[in-house]
Amino acid sequence: MTNSIADIAENSQCIFIIGSNTTEQHPVIGTKIRQAKRHPESIEGRHRGAKLIVADPRRIDIADYADLHLQHEPGTDIALLNGLMHVILREGWHDEGFIAERTEGFDEMKEIVEKYTPEVASEITGVPAGDIEEAARMMAENRPGTLLYAMGITQHTVGVANVMSCANLQMLLGNMGVAGGGVNPLRGQNNVQGACDLGGLPNVYSGYQKVTDAAVQEKFENAWGVPLSGEMGLTVTEMLDAAEAGDVRCLYVIGENPMVSDPDLNHVRYSLQQTDFIVVQDLFFTETSEFADVVLPAASFVEKEGTFTNTERRIQRVHKAIDAPGEAQSDSWIVAELAKRMVALGAATLDEDAPHAGWDYATPADVMDEINALTPIYAGITYRRLEEGAQLQWPVPNEQHPGTPILHVGEFSRGLGRFAAVDHVPPAELPDDEYPLMLTTGRVLYHWHGGEMTHRARNLEAMYPEALVEINPKDAHNAGIEDGELMKVTSRRGEIVAKAQVTDRVEPGLIFSTFHFADSAANFLTNPALDPQAKIPEYKVCAVRVENAVAGRRQGNLIGQ
Ligand SMILES: Nc1nc2c(c(=O)[nH]1)N[C@H]1C(S)=C(S)[C@@H](COP(=O)(O)OP(=O)(O)OC[C@H]3O[C@@H](n4cnc5c(=O)[nH]c(N)nc54)[C@H](O)[C@@H]3O)O[C@H]1N2
Ligand SMILES: Nc1nc2c(c(=O)[nH]1)N[C@H]1C(S)=C(S)[C@@H](COP(=O)(O)OP(=O)(O)OC[C@H]3O[C@@H](n4cnc5c(=O)[nH]c(N)nc54)[C@H](O)[C@@H]3O)O[C@H]1N2
Ligand SMILES: [Mo]
């Protein structure tokens, strides 16, 4: 996030949520937004009546609190955002000072946006032109405004362009680098921000230092005393393709369950079968563990010491609350032990004299010392400060620095903010005669992804015991499906059987499924088409057909087995 949660809750005059089911997937932030939205008088002046606009193809819970719900078709975000920008420019509501001083590329962007009259945008998105006009006015009249997004924006073949489009809108309104503004991706996993910050990506070392930059490579080689590659690695989805082709022969899977969470599971199964050697390190024996040669038991977050970095870039100290069961150890301990054994076996070379050579960390504070030394954005986030209770949001360039609650104040990290000229491109697969419905996928409040953890929580299982697929009453009627009946959903890649939840949360033509139940996970159906830059799969759009499953029900997913 460019801004902070409290800042948004207290200062945003207009909150624009696009592609985030905030109350179900980020309930704390969702609650704060509902409080900010309610009338000023309602509770001791804490609620200050901010405007709320929600753009989501489904009538999610937060849409019921919104001043406006723009219920666009999945995969049409660029057209919607360009339509909003068209109105803002036409009415002269853009922030000329900000654009002149802080940005570049305005003219190219403007040229594209000119085509997206509210009528054109309405035609593509299905949102009434009047609502687009109204939303643009609300954003212009209520500044600073913030934009929040999540997977509804990123999980598309145009994921990167979608994100750029969100940034365009906020720069146009001058909503960047100010309290209550910003472009705010709500991060998903509790420590996904930390994992990315510390190099858990195939193209960067810690602090987003590029692996392809020779000077960076040399810095880490000297620090660690090991030779390093200057080439980018593969993303998860690419790894599985490479495994299928025989280019990846060994997979070490830590805290990931691709046999439920990756797109096109029949293909994932095949790729895992082609892989010579698989190690799975997890809390539990997962669907992916079925394919493993070795399973390593990992300790969970309550069983270890360290830090997590949350969605607002805040580094938080985590304290061990209970001992890990059985032989389980923390992930960092296991990885370090593996590395030591590889050196002992002669499989890797190590210059023992390098300043950060080896993996002999006595405490997490030792790990943080190394992070401080090698990672400019974390340089001032020392364990001493964290233990004293300092609340630090990166970048923190030195130990005296107070942290950075708001990014891009006065200047963007790249200097000028660049407007990107982006045009609507339809999703890779759209409904047709054979597969006439669109499927979008995601989560519900009661479960977490493949459910490895939440299916073990009795109360959550009681609240949401089986897979449900949302379908509009009209489509259900056409397919002869009643609420609660089993239906079969089929795509070009596979099929699932799950109970129908007949509801007008989805419009006719759209169904919604989760991947919380392994046997009927949406990923048997999803399209593995990737965004060319971010390599994120198009989980949010594919084409399917549905039928009543009572006749001809098939157990499990037999296609491709
Ligand atoms: N309870 C619970 N909470 C979670 C998780 C969980 O599994 N369970 N997972 C966590 C993780 S890792 C993540 S990444 C986040 C995800 O959090 P979110 O991204 O909020 O959740 P999703 O359900 O994936 O999708 C968000 C919304 O995108 C909408 N959508 C679908 N297609 C489109 C589209 O084309 N455009 C737009 N604008 N919207 C679209 C969906 O209707 C949905 O409301 O949640 C985190 N929080
Ligand atoms: N169709 C569809 N598919 C999706 C998505 C979607 O919206 N639609 N969203 C995608 C997104 S955003 C995400 S983040 C992924 C999530 O997909 P995954 O990351 O595969 O799912 P999780 O259940 O979060 O985590 C996987 C495993 O981590 C284990 N685990 C938990 N804590 C620890 C730990 O401390 N150490 C170790 N070693 N293991 C641990 C759990 O037991 C679990 O088995 O799914 C993606 N897949
Ligand atoms: Mo995620």
Side-chain angles (χ1 to χ4, degrees):
M1 293 169 69
T2 59
N3 289 54
S4 304
I5 299 165
D7 166 42
I8 291 165
E10 283 155 26
N11 300 315
S12 300
Q13 297 305 312
C14 181
I15 299 171
F16 179 33
I17 299 177
I18 180 161
S20 150
N21 184 357
T22 324
T23 45
E24 290 198 69
Q25 267 56 78
H26 294 88
V28 175
I29 299 176
T31 303
K32 289 192 188 268
I33 290 171
R34 288 201 329 248
Q35 287 172 351
K37 159 72 200 132
R38 285 203 191 132
H39 197 264
E41 275 88 49
S42 59
I43 294 181
E44 296 162 13
R46 259 177 63 221
H47 301 147
R48 54 187 181 73
K51 294 285 179 209
L52 176 63
I53 304 170
V54 173
D56 199 291
R58 295 161 59 226
R59 212 193 69 232
I60 50 173
D61 296 347
I62 192 99
D64 290 341
Y65 293 84
D67 295 283
L68 258 180
H69 177 203
L70 310 173
Q71 198 165 2
H72 59 313
E73 294 218 3
T76 64
D77 293 276
I78 293 172
L80 181 65
L81 290 158
N82 279 353
L84 292 168
M85 290 194 280
H86 178 100
V87 177
I88 291 164
L89 281 166
R90 190 194 66 202
E91 299 297 325
W93 291 332
H94 52 295
D95 186 334
E96 275 176 21
F98 182 89
I99 294 164
E101 282 161 38
R102 305 253 339 244
T103 69
E104 60 188 8
F106 175 72
D107 293 335
E108 292 84 335
M109 185 276 297
K110 189 167 170 231
E111 206 181 305
I112 291 216
V113 164
E114 262 160 16
K115 296 189 298 193
Y116 289 84
T117 62
E119 292 69 30
V120 169
S122 172
E123 180 69 29
I124 300 171
T125 60
V127 176
D131 284 0
I132 296 175
E133 301 261 3
E134 180 61 20
R137 171 183 294 279
M138 220 176 262
M139 289 173 187
E141 287 176 354
N142 297 280
R143 289 185 240 195
T146 193
L147 184 151
L148 309 182
Y149 72 86
M151 296 301 116
I153 279 293
T154 52
Q155 290 175 340
H156 293 278
T157 43
V158 293
V160 170
N162 276 350
V163 172
M164 288 172 165
S165 211
C166 291
N168 282 347
L169 174 68
Q170 287 297 71
M171 291 198 295
L172 194 66
L173 289 164
N175 276 335
M176 296 300 294
V178 289
V183 176
N184 295 291
L186 305 181
R187 303 304 307 252
Q189 306 265 15
N190 58 339
N191 192 34
V192 63
Q193 185 67 53
C196 294
D197 294 350
L198 275 309
L201 291 168
N203 57 340
V204 286
Y205 292 106
S206 61
Y208 307 95
Q209 303 175 78
K210 291 195 168 70
V211 298
T212 48
D213 179 332
V216 168
Q217 184 183 344
E218 198 187 328
K219 166 177 151 178
F220 282 94
E221 285 181 334
N222 292 340
W224 290 337
V226 291
L228 295 166
S229 162
E231 277 174 40
M232 288 199 280
L234 302 176
T235 63
V236 182
T237 321
E238 290 178 312
M239 284 179 207
L240 292 171
D241 283 342
E244 183 186 4
D247 295 334
V248 162
R249 294 179 49 217
C250 167
L251 276 176
Y252 179 19
V253 183
I254 309 179
E256 182 94 9
N257 190 8
M259 203 42 232
V260 181
S261 58
D262 253 43
D264 191 1
L265 291 178
N266 289 308
H267 171 251
V268 174
R269 180 196 292 124
Y270 181 76
S271 300
L272 293 175
Q273 284 166 346
Q274 303 309 303
T275 312
D276 292 344
F277 183 63
I278 300 180
V279 181
V280 172
Q281 182 169 314
D282 204 288
L283 313 185
F284 303 111
F285 193 88
T286 66
E287 286 71 18
T288 308
S289 308
E290 302 278 352
F291 297 84
D293 299 277
V294 176
V295 175
L296 299 173
S300 77
F301 73 103
V302 277
E303 298 154 356
K304 57 194 172 195
E305 294 283 332
T307 59
F308 290 156
T309 304
N310 81 355
T311 184
E312 51 179 3
R313 297 170 283 106
R314 186 189 302 278
I315 291 76
Q316 298 174 309
R317 184 74 172 83
V318 177
H319 295 279
K320 179 175 164 176
I322 51 172
D323 286 331
E327 294 176 82
Q329 295 281 357
S330 73
D331 292 297
S332 55
W333 184 90
I334 302 173
V335 172
E337 289 301 311
L338 268 173
K340 286 181 206 168
R341 280 164 179 71
M342 283 187 194
V343 173
L345 285 169
T349 53
L350 178 69
D351 172 4
E352 299 277 358
D353 297 331
H356 299 282
W359 292 268
D360 292 314
Y361 307 108
T363 66
D366 293 348
V367 181
M368 196 54 111
D369 286 346
E370 182 178 320
I371 294 170
N372 298 152
L374 298 176
T375 315
I377 59 172
Y378 274 66
I381 306 167
T382 57
Y383 241 63
R384 188 185 61 74
R385 294 182 81 186
L386 293 175
E387 298 284 25
E388 285 169 0
Q391 294 291 319
L392 297 171
Q393 288 167 274
W394 68 254
V396 188
N398 57 60
E399 243 202 304
Q400 285 68 49
H401 194 280
T404 313
I406 303 176
L407 292 179
H408 312 308
V409 178
E411 198 186 27
F412 287 96
S413 37
R414 68 182 293 275
L416 291 177
R418 192 167 63 83
F419 280 107
V422 281
D423 235 332
H424 167 68
V425 179
E429 186 179 80
L430 282 172
D432 54 19
D433 289 347
E434 210 181 337
Y435 297 98
L437 298 181
M438 194 183 269
L439 167 73
T440 193
T441 70
R443 307 151 165 80
V444 298
L445 176 65
Y446 302 105
H447 285 290
W448 190 269
H449 305 149
E452 211 54 63
M453 296 177 285
T454 46
H455 291 312
R456 289 179 166 82
R458 210 179 306 131
N459 292 347
L460 297 175
E461 273 298 271
M463 294 298 292
Y464 201 101
E466 58 196 336
L468 299 175
V469 176
E470 292 177 3
I471 181 169
N472 184 274
K474 210 171 132 201
D475 293 325
H477 177 79
N478 287 345
I481 298 163
E482 302 271 338
D483 187 46
E485 274 189 341
L486 285 175
M487 66 177 189
K488 183 162 92 173
V489 188
T490 312
S491 81
R492 287 190 173 77
R493 294 154 294 277
E495 61 184 48
I496 61 169
V497 173
K499 268 192 184 168
Q501 181 179 14
V502 178
T503 168
D504 61 4
R505 263 165 84 90
V506 286
E507 298 269 87
L510 179 66
I511 68 169
F512 170 79
S513 161
T514 73
F515 55 117
H516 297 317
F517 295 82
D519 289 343
S520 46
N523 285 324
F524 283 104
L525 309 167
T526 45
N527 186 358
L530 302 181
D531 177 284
Q533 242 175 299
K535 315 280 172 154
I536 193 167
E538 192 145 68
Y539 289 121
K540 291 290 184 260
V541 186
C542 76
V544 293
R545 64 166 179 263
V546 299
E547 61 204 288
N548 190 311
V550 178
R553 181 183 179 191
R554 289 216 260 161
Q555 277 297 326
N557 289 273
L558 304 175
I559 293 176
Q561 265 185 348

